[in-house]
Amino acid sequence: MSKLRQHKLFSLGLFLVLVVISLCIVSFFYLPQDPNVMNTINRFQSPSKEFLLGTDQFGRDILSRIMISSRYALFIGLVSVFLGAVVGIVIGALAATANGWLETILMRFIDGLMAFPGILLAMMLVAVLGKGLWNAVIAIAIFMIPVFSRLTYSLVLDQKNQLYVKAARSYGASKCRIIFKHILPMILPRLITQFSASIGSAILIESSLSFLGLGVQPPNASWGLMLSESRQYMLTYAYLAVPPGIILMITVLGFNLIGDAWNDSIVSRRMAE
Amino acid sequence: MLSFIIKRLISGLTVLFFISIITFFVLRWMPGDPATLSLGTEGTPEKIAELQEVMGLNLPWYQQYYHWIQDLFSGDWGSSYVFGEDVMTLIIQRLPVTLLLAAVSMVIVIPFAFIIGIMSALFKERWVDYIARSLMQLGDAVPQFWLALIFLVFFASKLGWFPVAGYVGFDDGILASIHSVLLPAIVLAIGQVGPLIRIIRSSMLSSLEQDYMLMTQVNGLPKTLAIVKYALRGASIAPLTIIGMQLANMLAGAILVENIFALPGIGRLLLMTVEQRDLILLQGMVIFVTSAVVLVNILTDICYRLANPMIRFGGNHE
């Protein structure tokens, strides 16, 4: 792929993500209206000066609710992927350095986790842990584990026979030191790429869970929850589903584009070498 | 080949073993024991203790696990305490709806993905390619449940092309049945198409660069014929490898889509199960769905090898 196009896609992704991040930051200092105040006289208002994106079925300001929700989306996205990545990387690195039965057990366990269709594992965990924000974070984090451990596993295996690792081993560096001091910095770019791409899917899973009523609970706002609430009015006032859907798509698209562009640049650099 | 199949089956069984362990422990962790839950308001301490005894809940965990696995193999998957019916019966009742939904969705997605993927590879870095890849990115980013809502309003309610909700059984004719799942199937297909186009495009690109494509040029074979006869054949094997993943994605999508379109399939049953915390049914459904994914993965691996004799077991890991 041409460098220019890569650059453009990366910039577009970064722009979209920055839009959402600034919405989130601004929400801590300024909200156009109180996102939770209900006022039935104002219900189902079209966008106006007072309500930039209109109001919902309870007369709450949609823009303010979207801004508040961006906190949950970014928080759940970042934290759950971070937790999943840490556990996944440790398992993957352990499996790649350990030989024999431990390697087999760890990787089959990961294969087992991988066989759970995305949201099913999250739903199962929510059934056990109960609904709510933190349980959604844990559920999504566990879903993220296999992706990171598989990636780390294959990357570490790749690096294991490189000269610099052999050199480190020859002067007696411990396994732990080799992994964390030598191999991990080498494979970090690939892991960061995966991190960015995973945030997009984590946010999608969060919104799906909230949509099904298993994630963020009312009166808190979440894009998924807003969409779920709009279902009742789909046939009479479908506009309610438009703003949260679009912002959700923008966010996911932004993170995906950044991840893809990074990935491409790593691949093309490797090919150039 | 036989030794590969055996090895693959053994590794598949190990994966299933871990799945059963994960499911068993996660669901044992659930607050409230099954005996109390299944008795509901009728539960007196004596009755609960009695049922716990019958259900074997007082046994040590490894014995409980052993009994559970034994029951799974003998076809006794327990009975749901919300529906009061056999788990297997419930699953089999719902399965045709989800299978039809998945099948219709596959019929839409496969030709579409092949056409777009191949065009995108043939016109690499041209506008066809750019449009295809933009669509792919959008397809990956759009929330399926949102798309389902929008489609519902537009195609079902406004235009009236499809029923707004509900499923028409096979008794009313297969066409009516397909029509009732067509719109949800399209939504599912849009969610599936991105990864499939991506892999078709990249395998087509690498197939076009092979020496045998140069040979067709040297031999003066017309370009279209060369593409259809050689490049396409080389490119159609790789997509096989992600069918298992696609199936898993499709089942995940079905949970959302079936709920929105009120289709009485596996996905809808799953949500009810989670909402009601129906342990026995959830356990059974999780095992059923994941086993299906593992089985399909094993089958596609074997097909992949049959289709591509060049791949030797334990060869390059990429």
Side-chain angles (χ1 to χ4, degrees):
Chain A
M1 177 163 43
S2 71
K3 269 239 159 82
L4 183 73
R5 213 182 100 86
Q6 244 175 57
H7 186 74
K8 270 192 199 157
L9 284 181
F10 181 79
S11 312
L12 178 63
L14 194 65
F15 171 74
L16 296 176
V17 168
L18 283 178
V19 166
V20 180
I21 290 178
S22 32
L23 269 184
C24 170
I25 292 173
V26 169
S27 80
F28 284 97
F29 304 103
Y30 169 77
L31 285 168
Q33 306 277 340
D34 187 325
N36 288 324
V37 161
M38 302 189 189
N39 184 347
T40 37
I41 302 166
N42 283 338
R43 63 203 292 240
F44 300 127
Q45 296 247 342
S46 326
S48 64
K49 259 195 187 141
E50 199 187 353
F51 305 102
L52 276 182
L53 291 177
T55 59
D56 68 1
Q57 70 277 20
F58 297 118
R60 297 174 297 193
D61 180 36
I62 292 178
L63 178 63
S64 305
R65 288 184 73 71
I66 283 190
M67 286 170 72
I68 280 279
S69 307
S70 67
R71 296 181 193 172
Y72 289 107
L74 292 178
F75 175 80
I76 294 178
L78 286 170
V79 175
S80 61
V81 176
F82 180 78
L83 292 175
V86 170
V87 179
I89 289 169
V90 170
I91 293 180
L94 204 63
T97 41
N99 297 329
W101 60 271
L102 185 61
E103 179 187 3
T104 313
I105 289 183
L106 284 175
M107 288 325 281
R108 288 294 94 79
F109 174 73
I110 293 299
D111 286 347
L113 272 184
M114 204 105 179
F116 285 89
I119 198 175
L120 175 65
L121 184 63
M123 283 172 78
M124 187 169 112
L125 289 164
V126 166
V128 174
L129 302 167
K131 301 167 185 175
L133 177 82
W134 276 105
N135 296 337
V137 170
I138 295 171
I140 299 170
I142 293 178
F143 169 67
M144 289 295 161
I145 292 173
V147 185
F148 282 94
S149 35
R150 276 214 173 162
L151 183 63
T152 314
Y153 177 72
S154 66
L155 289 173
V156 172
L157 278 189
D158 231 27
Q159 298 288 325
K160 244 169 103 176
N161 297 319
Q162 298 283 327
L163 212 53
Y164 73 93
V165 177
K166 284 182 184 156
R169 217 179 287 140
S170 72
Y171 63 71
S174 68
K175 261 188 180 172
C176 208
R177 192 181 157 81
I178 290 177
I179 288 279
F180 287 102
K181 277 295 262 213
H182 298 283
I183 295 182
L184 206 59
M186 281 298 283
I187 63 175
L188 206 58
R190 276 296 280 118
L191 293 173
I192 292 175
T193 306
Q194 185 59 48
F195 190 87
S196 167
S198 300
I199 291 177
S201 50
I203 291 178
L204 263 186
I205 298 180
E206 182 275 318
S207 64
S208 311
L209 280 179
S210 297
F211 181 78
L212 292 175
L214 305 172
V216 176
Q217 297 294 309
N220 293 328
S222 132
W223 298 330
L225 197 59
M226 289 174 78
L227 284 170
S228 162
E229 288 171 353
S230 78
R231 266 179 84 175
Q232 259 182 292
Y233 306 97
M234 263 339 263
L235 300 181
T236 47
Y237 193 62
Y239 168 75
L240 276 187
V242 176
I246 287 178
I247 187 79
L248 184 55
M249 199 160 94
I250 286 177
T251 316
V252 177
L253 186 64
F255 282 111
N256 285 354
L257 283 177
I258 293 179
D260 279 5
W262 261 339
N263 198 20
D264 287 342
S265 82
I266 290 173
V267 169
S268 58
R269 214 180 306 155
R270 194 156 292 168
M271 270 158 75
E273 278 166 16
Chain B
M1 191 65 208
L2 192 69
S3 76
F4 170 77
I5 294 179
I6 292 170
K7 270 184 183 167
R8 194 63 195 81
L9 280 177
I10 290 174
S11 94
L13 278 177
T14 335
V15 172
L16 280 177
F17 168 73
F18 276 107
I19 288 174
S20 70
I21 288 276
I22 295 169
T23 313
F24 180 79
F25 277 105
V26 166
L27 294 178
R28 276 299 160 293
W29 197 14
M30 187 139 97
D33 79 305
T36 319
L37 282 172
S38 68
L39 284 171
T41 46
E42 291 169 24
T44 60
E46 297 84 45
K47 269 190 180 171
I48 290 172
E50 197 181 315
L51 193 65
Q52 273 176 341
E53 191 66 44
V54 174
M55 289 168 93
L57 292 169
N58 302 326
L59 296 170
W61 67 266
Y62 51 88
Q63 283 191 12
Q64 283 190 40
Y65 176 78
Y66 177 72
H67 285 308
W68 179 53
I69 294 293
Q70 229 179 5
D71 287 347
L72 279 186
F73 276 108
S74 65
D76 174 15
W77 289 41
S79 66
S80 145
Y81 37 77
V82 171
F83 295 93
E85 265 182 272
D86 195 48
V87 170
M88 248 324 187
T89 323
L90 280 167
I91 294 177
I92 289 169
Q93 252 171 23
R94 312 287 169 126
L95 197 58
V97 181
T98 307
L99 282 183
L100 182 68
L101 181 65
V104 174
S105 173
M106 275 290 183
V107 169
I108 297 168
V109 93
I110 290 173
F112 194 73
F114 264 97
I115 291 170
I116 306 250
I118 288 165
M119 294 302 270
S120 179
L122 288 178
F123 299 99
K124 192 188 167 195
E125 306 292 329
R126 305 252 280 279
W127 62 269
V128 182
D129 189 24
Y130 291 144
I131 292 180
R133 279 152 76 186
S134 310
L135 284 178
M136 235 149 63
Q137 285 287 357
L138 278 179
D140 284 349
V142 67
Q144 269 187 25
F145 58 93
W146 184 62
L147 207 61
L149 288 179
I150 301 290
F151 276 22
L152 193 67
V153 171
F154 193 74
F155 293 110
S157 168
K158 281 246 162 67
L159 296 176
W161 290 355
F162 302 97
V164 173
Y167 170 72
V168 179
F170 288 126
D171 303 339
D172 294 298
I174 181 88
L175 279 178
S177 226
I178 291 176
H179 184 240
S180 72
V181 298
L182 193 54
L183 193 57
I186 293 171
V187 174
L188 268 189
I190 292 173
Q192 301 298 308
V193 83
L196 204 56
I197 293 181
R198 205 163 277 158
I199 198 161
I200 291 169
R201 178 180 181 273
S202 67
S203 63
M204 186 73 186
L205 280 177
S206 74
S207 168
L208 285 171
E209 281 167 8
Q210 297 293 323
D211 288 344
Y212 58 74
M213 286 310 286
L214 196 67
M215 272 314 282
T216 60
Q217 258 180 24
V218 174
N219 285 344
L221 211 64
K223 206 175 167 204
T224 336
L225 190 66
I227 287 168
V228 172
K229 231 184 144 180
Y230 297 99
L232 202 59
R233 195 187 281 175
S236 47
I237 298 174
L240 265 179
T241 51
I242 63 161
I243 287 185
M245 200 183 84
Q246 295 284 93
L247 178 77
N249 284 343
M250 206 168 256
L251 285 168
I255 298 175
L256 291 157
V257 168
E258 282 180 7
N259 274 295
I260 293 169
F261 288 94
L263 297 175
I266 294 283
R268 205 166 144 81
L269 185 63
L270 250 169
L271 183 67
M272 283 193 243
T273 311
V274 170
E275 278 173 342
Q276 310 276 348
R277 296 190 155 198
D278 190 338
L279 175 96
I280 307 283
L281 183 55
L282 183 57
Q283 193 169 268
M285 293 194 74
V286 167
I287 291 293
F288 182 82
V289 167
T290 45
S291 308
V293 173
V294 171
L295 266 179
V296 168
N297 271 330
I298 295 176
L299 285 178
T300 51
D301 273 6
I302 292 171
C303 289
Y304 183 60
R305 268 180 66 86
L306 284 176
N308 193 348
M310 260 168 64
I311 296 154
R312 287 278 165 267
F313 185 63
N316 62 327
H317 281 289
E318 285 195 304

